[in-house]
Amino acid sequence: MRTFYPSDSCKESQLNSLNPQSWLQVERGKLSSSASSSAESFIKVPEPQILPHYKPLDYVEVLAQIHEELETCPLQERSILYLLQYQVFRGLGETKLRRRSLQSAWQEATTVHEKVIFGSWLRYEKQGEEVIADLLSSCGKYSEEYAPLDIASCFPVMAASSSPEAAASVKVERCISKNVVFKIGEERIACDRKKISSLSAPFHAMLFGSFTESLLDEIDMSENHVSSSAMRVVRDFSAAGILSGVSKNLLLEVLVFANKFCCERLKDACDRELASLISSMDCAIELMDFALEESSPILAASCLQVFLYEMPESLTDDRVVEVLIRVNRSQVSTMAGKASFSLYSCLSEVSMRIDPRSDRTLGFLEKVVDFAENDRQRVLGFHRLGCTRLLRKEYREAEEAFETAFNLGHVYSATGLARIGYIQGHRLWAYEKLSSVISSVSPPLGWMYQERSLYCEGDKKMEDLGKATELDPTLTYPYMYRAVTLMSKQNAEAALEEINRILGFKLALECLEIRFCLYLGMDDYEAALRDIQAALTLCPDYRMFDGKVAARQLRTLVYEHVENWTTADCWMQLYEKWSNVDDIGSLSVIYQMLEADAFKGVLYFRQSLLLLRLNCPEAAMRSLQLAREHASSDHERLVYEGWILYDTGHCEEGLQKAKESIRIKRSFEAYFLQAYALAESSLDPSSSSTVVSLLEDALKCPSDRLRKGQALNNLGSVYVDCEKLDLAADCYINALKVRHTRAHQGLARVHFLRNDKAAAYEEMTRLIEKAQNNASAYEKRSEYCDRELAKSDLEMVTRLDPLRVYPYRYRAAVLMDSRKEREAISELSRAIAFKADLHLLHLRAAFHEHIGDVSSALRDCRAALSVDPNHQEMLELHSRVNSHEP
């Protein structure tokens, strides 16, 4: 998905990525052959962005170091280590893992400031998920996880203590009256001398010391900038020890007085009372100034909590930003305690997502640098600062920031240095800079060759792009560049084949955009429409051509050039594409149906299923929530609520929703949800009979063939687990009759369990022939053939979807069996370089242990436990390897 950090072109003259003349023809709806034939003239591939993330050369080593430090560090250091872990996973693009690290930072927080910062950060990260808390509360399960804290209760109350000086004063042999009167203007406030003196050492010295005032019964306080009302509050507090019913303005005056006369208990009481009066953002902004001026930690932290809790909206308020940026080091300590680096890391993260070029982002990042306490923190601060400076075209300052990060060991910052060098006309220097990086690192990483390719042409460029894809097949720029280059040579089929390589396993918006342009250039408007509708499904506000044109506008123009489908046509198309496992095509059809169809709840639900299959969980959850909003009945709404709860880990509550739905009306989807959740969550073997019964009930209810095929497929899986192979085969065959293509896989398993390996292989071959997305089918077929055929199938899997880890593990195991230990480890390392996967790390750790490389085994164990801290086999291996370490 397009991020918030669009890269500028290296050359200022190339910033316009669109040919205005040819585009005007398209904008006016004139999609003539002359316009489309010159499509390649406005297909520009934006340079790969310089990511503002922490990207160490060896993330496995860094994760292992963090895990080791977490095992031995003091409790108060754990949160900041989890924050660093968060940054590593952020650089790897691992959304779930980084969020879990942030959760751990919050859970391990030892100060109220850390609790506020990480709790607010998590709340921001989970924007849009408020519905989950509402649904849980409807099930009787309440979560106050990230609710605002009662800050005052987290600070120890300052207890009253008897003053030794005051006690001694009774022995002074002179006549001192019991009361003292403070004169303010024409008003006189009588006070208990001893109680007033107990407020602070200065008051004690004044009233019982050698000062002249100790001999006076009346002291003029008119020149001390305190009102009579405030002095009465001071008198009452000295007598009762509490503040009650005092107005905000009066409390502020008393707070200033308490600071002036060092009345710590009084100051603490004012601090708490003022914190309790915060009622709005405006109030928090007003009081924060006083809190910082008077060094009031409870009030300052309470105001800060309001700012953070309302992110991102609060960061669009100039008054809030001004307060957070202008503060000095002492004031930040008042506001955030020892969590200053965490605070500005949070603020800069949110601000960069709003606008990475803004003065606000720059100010926060400068604070990150200021409060960094070690090199790893400084690396993150300076690299991010460089990225923002580069976007602002402040090249000298950007170069200084990147240079500092690079010198601190962050090699990835060389991309920033090279980009700036090229912008300034030093192309050869940029090329040599990356060449130096490549030659100094073993093994080099994909991004290094990708970046160097920007500074050369022809065969050299293609060679570097090929190497980048070989080392990291998830990088999108090489595929896009090769596709557009092929299109410019009038080789449209090869261009499509190239861009399809990555779209087969990574549904990247920028790649869909390129393919849309390719189809437009080929006059294939139906295919172009498919891709733009899929893009709009992923991101409804997507803008194309470097943000210049709304995708919705393009969709409208292209739609005029395709045949209109009736509702019946759409359902037939959906059935056809779903049966052919054409997930992108299915998404497009559903998008088109949603433009007009009345049954939006059902369609959004189908959309969510496809998005989950395409590994787009955030978009899938958005679609599920839209399904809930557009449900046509209560029983339908309850089903979607059940799926929302199940997909977010609340299985019991999901089951509860399904049962509520069935009580209202028996429906296919309610029974299916109940069966699915029970089958996936129950460890009791006897639950299989219940699942079978539920699926049978589902099949008795009205539904379309797409969903009935899925239910039959699931029922077959349950029968296989129960060793009822004949019943399973019947289910799979019936599913195939309604064109549920994936049932071939289940039927192949039945053949295999009947010891008919050849039939199983043939069944999977049928699936491969029918399915457009068939990497998983090749992988499964490899289990039903000899080693050579299996190796061939798994090589195909890696070509189709290099993110699937089983092929790497299989090839490594074969190499290990052949006693080629180093080659086996190298095969695993090839994938680990671009995918942080528990199973790959686990196997590599075991291989290292086998050859006696204890330190490498321990490193991989620790990194794997960073990915999944509770994995039992990994914990056992870690314990065993750890015991061998000298």
Side-chain angles (χ1 to χ4, degrees):
M1 207 172 277
R2 185 167 292 235
T3 68
F4 291 84
Y5 314 105
S7 62
D8 286 327
S9 174
C10 288
K11 292 183 179 179
E12 296 296 328
S13 60
Q14 294 176 350
L15 282 174
N16 183 5
S17 64
L18 196 57
N19 181 314
Q21 283 70 36
S22 65
W23 185 243
L24 281 173
Q25 295 175 336
V26 180
E27 278 188 324
R28 296 180 186 125
K30 298 178 182 177
L31 285 171
S32 62
S33 58
S34 61
S36 57
S37 65
S38 64
E40 63 270 15
S41 68
F42 63 79
I43 304 175
K44 301 292 184 182
V45 182
E47 277 119 7
Q49 56 185 298
I50 299 174
L51 298 171
H53 305 323
Y54 179 42
K55 293 180 74 68
L57 282 177
D58 187 351
Y59 75 85
V60 174
E61 183 67 40
V62 175
L63 286 176
Q65 289 171 359
I66 294 170
H67 189 275
E68 184 179 10
E69 290 174 40
L70 283 166
E71 291 177 321
T72 58
C73 73
L75 289 177
Q76 62 269 24
E77 294 177 13
R78 291 177 67 83
S79 280
I80 203 72
L81 284 170
Y82 278 119
L83 175 56
L84 177 62
Q85 189 185 77
Y86 165 92
Q87 300 294 1
V88 175
F89 287 134
R90 182 96 167 86
L92 291 169
E94 295 287 350
T95 302
K96 284 186 177 179
L97 296 180
R98 70 179 171 86
R99 188 176 285 187
R100 195 201 61 214
S101 296
L102 204 56
Q103 178 92 12
S104 296
W106 175 75
Q107 289 171 336
E108 297 288 342
T110 57
T111 69
V112 62
H113 303 101
E114 288 178 333
K115 280 285 185 188
V116 166
I117 292 164
F118 292 121
S120 300
W121 198 341
L122 277 165
R123 185 175 185 273
Y124 167 76
E125 288 273 343
K126 295 190 174 187
Q127 282 182 107
E129 296 182 17
E130 295 84 358
V131 65
I132 298 167
D134 294 339
L135 294 179
L136 286 172
S137 65
S138 72
C139 297
K141 186 176 181 180
Y142 299 94
S143 173
E144 296 294 327
E145 251 187 0
Y146 314 122
L149 297 176
D150 178 4
I151 302 290
S153 68
C154 301
F155 281 78
V157 178
M158 193 167 292
S161 59
S162 58
S163 169
E165 294 89 347
S169 69
V170 296
K171 299 179 180 178
V172 177
E173 294 182 359
R174 55 181 174 163
C175 182
I176 298 178
S177 63
K178 179 181 178 183
N179 293 328
V180 61
V181 173
F182 291 104
K183 180 175 180 291
I184 300 172
E186 298 303 317
E187 295 194 51
R188 289 170 172 75
I189 298 96
C191 303
D192 185 301
R193 183 184 293 266
K194 188 174 180 181
K195 288 180 178 178
I196 289 289
S197 72
S198 69
L199 290 177
S200 69
F203 265 126
H204 179 266
M206 177 196 294
L207 299 176
F208 285 101
S210 56
F211 289 96
T212 304
E213 286 87 349
S214 66
L215 301 174
L216 301 177
D217 291 335
E218 183 175 291
I219 299 171
D220 193 342
M221 295 283 283
S222 301
E223 300 301 318
N224 282 279
H225 306 291
V226 60
S227 69
S228 57
S229 299
M231 198 63 216
R232 289 190 187 92
V233 172
V234 175
R235 176 197 63 192
D236 295 344
F237 179 82
S238 71
I242 59 171
L243 295 170
S244 180
V246 183
S247 70
K248 181 180 71 175
N249 289 338
L250 203 50
L251 283 168
L252 290 170
E253 187 180 352
V254 174
L255 176 62
V256 174
F257 178 90
N259 252 338
K260 184 174 184 179
F261 287 93
C262 305
C263 304
E264 295 303 323
R265 280 195 304 117
L266 179 58
K267 178 185 175 182
D268 180 69
C270 288
D271 204 358
R272 293 172 188 276
E273 281 297 307
L274 284 166
S276 71
L277 296 178
I278 299 174
S279 57
S280 65
M281 179 64 69
D282 288 339
C283 183
I285 294 169
E286 176 193 357
L287 291 176
M288 179 62 99
D289 283 329
F290 284 97
L292 297 175
E293 187 69 28
E294 301 301 327
S295 301
S296 302
I298 298 173
L299 180 57
S302 300
C303 294
L304 177 64
Q305 178 172 241
V306 174
F307 297 168
L308 297 180
Y309 195 73
E310 296 299 327
M311 293 188 302
E313 288 78 10
S314 60
L315 297 191
T316 61
D317 189 320
D318 291 340
R319 298 171 300 167
V320 172
V321 174
E322 197 264 336
V323 167
L324 293 170
I325 288 179
R326 69 169 165 75
V327 285
N328 59 37
R329 185 169 288 270
S330 173
Q331 290 172 326
V332 173
S333 179
T334 299
M335 179 172 63
K338 295 181 179 180
S340 305
F341 178 81
S342 300
L343 170 62
Y344 285 101
S345 293
C346 170
L347 292 170
S348 61
E349 178 84 23
V350 177
S351 185
M352 289 187 89
R353 295 191 202 180
I354 300 170
D355 180 3
R357 295 177 173 85
S358 66
D359 292 341
R360 173 192 59 237
T361 299
L362 182 64
F364 289 154
L365 286 172
E366 287 173 338
K367 292 289 187 184
V368 170
V369 169
D370 288 344
F371 289 104
E373 296 178 348
N374 55 53
D375 283 351
R376 291 187 297 204
Q377 293 178 358
R378 278 185 277 274
V379 156
L380 178 66
F382 279 110
H383 178 72
R384 283 191 152 183
L385 188 58
C387 291
T388 287
R389 293 282 195 189
L390 179 58
L391 289 173
R392 292 163 62 93
K393 299 183 175 62
E394 298 168 356
Y395 299 127
R396 183 179 61 80
E397 295 87 346
E399 184 178 14
E400 290 174 359
F402 283 131
E403 188 75 47
T404 303
F406 182 79
N407 291 336
L408 286 169
H410 194 239
V411 178
Y412 180 69
S413 294
T415 57
L417 293 171
R419 207 73 67 94
I420 293 168
Y422 184 52
I423 289 169
Q424 295 174 338
H426 308 302
R427 179 174 180 171
L428 180 60
W429 180 90
Y431 183 87
E432 291 175 346
K433 180 69 176 177
L434 267 299
S435 297
S436 172
V437 167
I438 289 169
S439 63
S440 66
V441 174
S442 181
L445 300 173
W447 64 259
M448 299 174 182
Y449 287 97
Q450 174 179 268
E451 186 66 24
R452 193 173 71 171
S453 75
L454 302 178
Y455 315 121
C456 55
E457 298 294 340
D459 292 341
K460 276 188 175 181
K461 188 181 190 78
M462 287 302 181
E463 186 179 332
D464 275 356
L465 290 173
K467 192 67 176 175
T469 299
E470 176 189 333
L471 294 172
D472 186 352
T474 67
L475 296 171
T476 59
Y477 174 78
Y479 300 95
M480 294 193 295
Y481 185 88
R482 288 189 293 259
V484 171
T485 301
L486 288 164
M487 189 66 178
S488 69
K489 296 176 180 178
Q490 306 300 316
N491 195 343
E493 292 303 320
L496 282 175
E497 184 178 343
E498 180 62 32
I499 203 66
N500 285 341
R501 284 175 61 195
I502 189 163
L503 284 170
F505 67 90
K506 185 176 182 179
L507 194 55
L509 280 169
E510 62 269 26
C511 295
L512 278 173
E513 179 177 336
I514 289 290
R515 195 168 72 174
F516 164 82
C517 292
L518 296 179
Y519 280 127
L520 208 58
M522 298 165 64
D523 294 336
D524 189 344
Y525 300 126
E526 285 191 6
L529 183 67
R530 176 200 63 200
D531 283 351
I532 202 166
Q533 290 183 160
L536 285 165
T537 300
L538 290 172
C539 181
D541 299 320
Y542 188 60
R543 298 184 67 82
M544 301 175 72
F545 302 110
D546 204 21
K548 294 179 176 63
V549 184
R552 285 184 181 277
Q553 180 185 357
L554 278 173
R555 188 257 175 194
T556 302
L557 293 170
V558 174
Y559 188 70
E560 295 173 3
H561 295 265
V562 299
E563 182 183 349
N564 288 331
W565 290 343
T566 65
T567 300
D569 292 332
C570 286
W571 276 106
M572 288 300 295
Q573 287 289 330
L574 180 60
Y575 182 61
E576 184 71 23
K577 295 181 186 304
W578 200 293
S579 299
N580 290 335
V581 197
D582 177 5
D583 295 334
I584 294 177
S586 299
L587 274 184
S588 175
V589 175
I590 289 176
Y591 182 92
Q592 196 159 326
M593 294 170 77
L594 282 165
E595 294 290 293
D597 203 294
F599 300 102
K600 291 186 186 293
V602 172
L603 292 171
Y604 278 122
F605 176 59
R606 300 294 173 86
Q607 191 180 77
S608 74
L609 298 175
L610 287 165
L611 289 166
L612 278 177
R613 208 150 72 190
L614 289 163
N615 195 29
C616 303
E618 292 179 3
M621 181 54 66
R622 184 179 65 240
S623 294
L624 256 184
Q625 293 186 19
L626 287 168
R628 174 180 179 254
E629 290 173 20
H630 290 87
S632 59
S633 63
D634 286 344
H635 75 266
E636 183 186 341
R637 174 182 52 78
L638 286 164
V639 169
Y640 303 145
E641 290 179 352
W643 279 114
I644 290 171
L645 290 166
Y646 176 80
D647 286 346
T648 52
H650 305 286
C651 184
E652 287 301 318
E653 290 75 21
L655 282 168
Q656 184 178 327
K657 291 289 184 181
K659 292 173 183 176
E660 286 181 40
S661 178
I662 291 168
R663 281 197 292 270
I664 297 173
K665 183 179 179 180
R666 295 160 61 90
S667 69
F668 173 90
E669 293 297 352
Y671 281 120
F672 186 90
L673 166 60
Q674 194 176 353
Y676 188 91
L678 189 60
E680 293 292 316
S681 62
S682 178
L683 301 176
D684 184 1
S686 64
S687 66
S688 296
S689 59
T690 306
V691 173
V692 167
S693 176
L694 289 168
L695 287 172
E696 288 175 342
D697 286 339
L699 289 165
K700 293 172 186 174
C701 297
S703 186
D704 59 72
R705 289 181 293 177
L706 294 175
R707 296 299 285 156
K708 292 223 171 187
Q710 184 66 63
L712 286 164
N713 192 68
N714 289 16
L715 185 56
S717 298
V718 179
Y719 281 138
V720 168
D721 292 340
C722 298
E723 300 181 356
K724 297 178 180 180
L725 300 184
D726 291 341
L727 290 172
D730 289 342
C731 287
Y732 291 129
I733 290 168
N734 287 330
L736 288 169
K737 287 177 180 177
V738 293
R739 297 187 63 190
H740 185 78
T741 309
R742 283 186 170 86
H744 282 296
Q745 183 168 316
L747 193 53
R749 187 180 175 200
V750 171
H751 291 315
F752 178 72
L753 293 172
R754 287 172 170 169
N755 296 317
D756 192 346
K757 206 172 182 179
Y761 185 88
E762 288 302 317
E763 200 66 47
M764 290 308 301
T765 302
R766 294 188 187 98
L767 175 56
I768 288 169
E769 291 169 351
K770 292 180 181 179
Q772 287 202 18
N773 301 328
N774 53 20
S776 62
Y778 276 106
E779 182 173 297
K780 196 65 182 176
R781 190 175 73 168
S782 71
E783 299 177 19
Y784 307 135
C785 53
D786 60 36
R787 177 171 286 190
E788 288 307 311
L789 285 174
K791 286 171 67 176
S792 175
D793 273 356
L794 292 175
E795 287 295 342
M796 177 61 78
V797 174
T798 299
R799 283 198 294 275
L800 293 172
D801 185 353
L803 294 177
R804 298 186 77 88
V805 300
Y806 174 73
Y808 302 98
R809 295 167 62 207
Y810 178 90
R811 289 189 289 265
V814 170
L815 289 165
M816 204 68 177
D817 286 344
S818 304
R819 298 186 178 180
K820 297 178 180 178
E821 291 91 350
R822 295 297 173 188
E823 291 91 334
I825 290 170
S826 179
E827 176 66 22
L828 294 173
S829 300
R830 180 162 72 106
I832 289 170
F834 58 84
K835 184 172 176 65
D837 181 79
L838 171 75
H839 303 292
L840 294 172
L841 289 166
H842 186 186
L843 190 57
R844 193 172 74 170
F847 286 179
H848 280 309
E849 182 196 29
H850 177 74
I851 65 174
D853 188 349
V854 175
S855 61
S856 295
L858 192 57
R859 175 204 62 202
D860 285 352
C861 286
R862 286 170 172 157
L865 288 171
S866 299
V867 173
D868 184 354
N870 302 312
H871 191 269
Q872 192 56 43
E873 290 182 21
M874 201 68 249
L875 288 166
E876 291 169 4
L877 178 59
H878 176 254
S879 177
R880 187 170 70 243
V881 172
N882 206 20
S883 66
H884 295 157
E885 190 182 31

